[in-house]
Amino acid sequence: MTTPRTIVIKIGGGEGIDLEPALNEIASLVRDGARVVLVHGGSHETNIVSEQLGHPPAFITSPSGHTSRRTNRKTLEIFEMVYCGKINKSVVERLHQLGVDAVGLSGIDGGLWRGARKDAIRAVEDGRTVIIRDDLTGRVEHVDGVFLNMLLDHARTPVLCPPALSADNEAINVDADRAAAITASALGADELLLLSNVPGVLRDPSDPSSLIATAGASDEVVRAAAKGRMKNKVLAAEEAITGGVGRVVIASANADTPIASARTGAGTVFEGAPA
Amino acid sequence: MTTPRTIVIKIGGGEGIDLEPALNEIASLVRDGARVVLVHGGSHETNIVSEQLGHPPAFITSPSGHTSRRTNRKTLEIFEMVYCGKINKSVVERLHQLGVDAVGLSGIDGGLWRGARKDAIRAVEDGRTVIIRDDLTGRVEHVDGVFLNMLLDHARTPVLCPPALSADNEAINVDADRAAAITASALGADELLLLSNVPGVLRDPSDPSSLIATAGASDEVVRAAAKGRMKNKVLAAEEAITGGVGRVVIASANADTPIASARTGAGTVFEGAPA
């Protein structure tokens, strides 16, 4: 008897991503005995609903050029409606239809994802650097693996999404790629797949054929190539490998079989040192 | 050593209900060792968000005069955004701030609440009785008490809301009072409290002093007095008592200490036959 594989799969919430192929593959993995944790995004849908509710999305650009969602209390409320309500529950419902006993949870439920809130964020506005102090964002630093394993041991498939819970028990927006990475580490996962609108780390973001096929745990070529949102994915991949995850693949969610494709290496593959 | 009490508390989502006093009382009950399950509503907030999103709420009136929300796919999506997203997560966050390790779940998560979808609903429209076949509503018939007890045994406090999951694994809107009642039965709860905008069953709905203080398990006076939404609460109370719950109180959520008030009998009290 072999130990069942533990696979953490993050699927981004970018425009045009269809979850259906991946959900079918997850059902098949679970049927075959894999322990799967799904982490989902929802940024595009959040932008749409924010506009509809008269609270257009706003973004912060850091001095290093990284962009993130400006999250005040009203933003967080809409964020929770879309991530924890609309998307999470539609994924859970669909997985049940595919025979998977899915349980949808946000990072605040049971304090599953805990981390510090950033008390000051440096942002560039009109060429000036300003300090923002009321942003409800942070980073996941601790995952309740005991709780997740309890669910997995009872044949439940966790479907997770932000927000997380701060040390002061405030809901905070967190990067879901890095949350998936630390979740994979906490579970000692064999694999982490980061699926989104891009095929992997590209040397030239405008040229899909410039894909970097393999990366080390701290690979300067990959780091230099990663721009914008991809920086976080590379950071997440490195953190997962450092945290003991066997293999990380940054790959496209837009394929007939995105999970099988990623697992067979169609993307940028990070591999840990052999045990 | 005494067995900890199990208390299921339903708080309605009517206009003007402030959850804060009840959440503080729940924190105190949990600290004192009680096993608490909270079920919440969200109808008023759902009406507001539905209007904001350009999908005004619609209601169905049955031939017997009972009113329920017309639930098509779009309604259900907004319903999930408000119940499972906005309200559930704000309650979970607040309970964590009060020291309670709350876990928010809808009835579809883990198939916690299962029941049949109504395949045909009789409704009165412009004086005519019509049959509606695409409504996504039903009634909870089975509760996964094993899953809830697993959470309670690990010192987690479940915070539950509709929708439930149909036999065909579709999300369905269900009455949360009756869902709370069958949940209380499944857990063998000592108490079920149904808190809302009304002080209890009134002989005359316009006269708060006409409160019926005590009711039997199938009490014709109470049944006759219950009009509109109160019919469901009385049905829920009767179902809980029949299901073995020790005591049910229909009481007001609008009090300084709504839970303590209900528990000391300020409302309509239903009591089961002594064991």
Side-chain angles (χ1 to χ4, degrees):
Chain A
M1 199 180 121
T2 55
T3 310
R5 290 188 82 74
T6 300
I7 311 174
V8 176
I9 302 168
K10 157 78 200 310
I11 309 181
E15 186 170 3
I17 293 178
D18 177 12
L19 296 174
E20 183 65 15
L23 298 184
N24 278 279
E25 289 183 281
I26 287 171
S28 164
L29 286 168
V30 171
R31 254 193 319 270
D32 292 347
R35 295 160 71 91
V36 177
V37 174
L38 174 61
V39 178
H40 66 81
S43 56
H44 178 64
E45 192 66 31
T46 300
N47 293 348
I48 293 173
V49 174
S50 297
E51 294 280 359
Q52 287 173 339
L53 292 175
H55 184 78
F59 295 90
I60 295 170
T61 304
S62 75
S64 66
H66 176 67
T67 301
S68 61
R69 186 181 297 273
R70 175 80 171 96
T71 308
N72 58 23
R73 193 67 209 178
K74 180 72 186 167
T75 311
L76 193 78
E77 196 178 284
I78 297 170
F79 183 97
E80 289 180 343
M81 286 171 69
V82 175
Y83 278 71
C84 312
K86 186 174 184 178
I87 299 177
N88 191 274
K89 295 318 161 203
S90 79
V91 167
V92 168
E93 179 183 12
R94 184 63 189 136
L95 283 174
H96 274 278
Q97 289 165 1
L98 296 168
V100 176
D101 194 351
V103 176
L105 295 165
S106 78
I108 72 171
D109 294 299
L112 198 56
W113 284 347
R114 283 203 174 263
R117 177 162 94 84
K118 292 175 192 159
D119 56 0
I121 295 176
R122 277 152 46 87
V124 179
E125 284 179 6
D126 303 324
R128 276 188 333 122
T129 297
V130 298
I131 305 286
I132 296 173
R133 296 197 184 275
D134 65 344
D135 210 56
L136 296 168
T137 55
R139 187 166 61 81
V140 177
E141 290 161 345
H142 182 260
V143 176
D144 188 347
V146 173
F147 188 35
L148 288 177
N149 275 318
M150 180 173 78
L151 294 171
L152 291 164
D153 290 345
H154 287 79
R156 314 282 178 158
T157 296
V159 178
L160 310 181
C161 66
L165 204 57
S166 78
D168 295 330
N169 292 300
E170 283 174 303
I172 50 173
N173 188 0
V174 293
D175 182 76
D177 288 314
R178 294 179 71 187
I182 189 170
T183 301
S185 299
L187 294 175
D190 302 286
E191 300 171 55
L192 167 66
L193 311 179
L194 300 172
L195 309 180
S196 72
N197 266 334
V198 287
V201 185
L202 304 175
R203 273 195 188 78
D204 172 2
S206 64
D207 177 10
S209 76
S210 70
L211 180 78
I212 302 176
T214 56
S218 56
D219 189 315
E220 290 307 327
V221 174
V222 167
R223 284 185 184 173
K227 304 278 188 288
R229 292 276 315 143
M230 186 52 76
K231 283 191 185 192
N232 264 336
K233 291 189 193 296
V234 168
L235 204 52
E238 292 182 354
E239 286 168 352
I241 293 294
T242 309
V245 176
R247 194 167 190 256
V248 183
V249 188
I250 300 178
S252 174
N254 301 315
D256 290 341
T257 56
I259 292 174
S261 299
R263 295 185 78 199
T264 53
T268 301
V269 179
F270 296 70
E271 249 157 338
Chain B
M1 197 180 120
T2 55
T3 308
R5 290 187 81 75
T6 299
I7 311 175
V8 176
I9 301 168
K10 156 80 199 312
I11 309 182
E15 186 171 2
I17 293 179
D18 177 11
L19 295 174
E20 183 64 18
L23 298 184
N24 277 280
E25 289 183 281
I26 288 171
S28 164
L29 286 168
V30 170
R31 256 195 316 272
D32 291 347
R35 295 161 70 91
V36 176
V37 174
L38 174 61
V39 178
H40 67 81
S43 57
H44 178 63
E45 192 65 31
T46 299
N47 293 348
I48 292 173
V49 174
S50 296
E51 294 279 0
Q52 287 172 339
L53 292 174
H55 184 77
F59 295 89
I60 295 170
T61 304
S62 75
S64 65
H66 176 68
T67 300
S68 61
R69 185 181 298 272
R70 175 80 171 97
T71 308
N72 59 22
R73 194 67 210 179
K74 181 72 187 168
T75 310
L76 194 77
E77 197 179 284
I78 296 171
F79 183 96
E80 289 179 344
M81 287 171 68
V82 176
Y83 277 72
C84 312
K86 186 173 184 178
I87 299 177
N88 192 273
K89 295 317 161 205
S90 79
V91 167
V92 167
E93 180 184 10
R94 184 62 189 136
L95 283 173
H96 274 278
Q97 289 165 1
L98 296 169
V100 176
D101 194 351
V103 175
L105 294 165
S106 78
I108 72 171
D109 294 299
L112 198 56
W113 284 345
R114 283 203 173 264
R117 176 164 95 84
K118 293 174 191 160
D119 57 0
I121 295 177
R122 278 152 45 88
V124 180
E125 284 178 8
D126 304 324
R128 276 188 333 123
T129 297
V130 297
I131 305 287
I132 296 173
R133 295 197 184 275
D134 65 344
D135 209 54
L136 295 168
T137 55
R139 186 166 61 80
V140 178
E141 290 161 345
H142 181 260
V143 175
D144 189 346
V146 173
F147 188 34
L148 288 177
N149 275 318
M150 180 173 78
L151 294 171
L152 290 164
D153 289 346
H154 286 80
R156 315 280 177 158
T157 297
V159 178
L160 310 181
C161 66
L165 204 56
S166 79
D168 295 330
N169 292 301
E170 283 174 303
I172 49 173
N173 188 1
V174 294
D175 181 76
D177 288 314
R178 293 179 71 187
I182 188 169
T183 301
S185 298
L187 294 174
D190 301 287
E191 300 172 56
L192 168 66
L193 311 179
L194 300 172
L195 309 180
S196 72
N197 266 335
V198 286
V201 185
L202 304 175
R203 270 195 191 79
D204 171 3
S206 64
D207 177 10
S209 75
S210 70
L211 180 78
I212 302 177
T214 57
S218 56
D219 188 315
E220 290 307 327
V221 174
V222 167
R223 284 185 184 173
K227 302 279 188 287
R229 293 276 315 144
M230 185 53 77
K231 281 191 185 191
N232 264 334
K233 291 188 193 296
V234 168
L235 204 52
E238 292 182 354
E239 285 167 351
I241 292 293
T242 308
V245 176
R247 193 165 190 257
V248 182
V249 187
I250 299 177
S252 175
N254 301 315
D256 290 340
T257 56
I259 292 174
S261 298
R263 293 185 80 199
T264 53
T268 301
V269 179
F270 297 70
E271 250 158 337

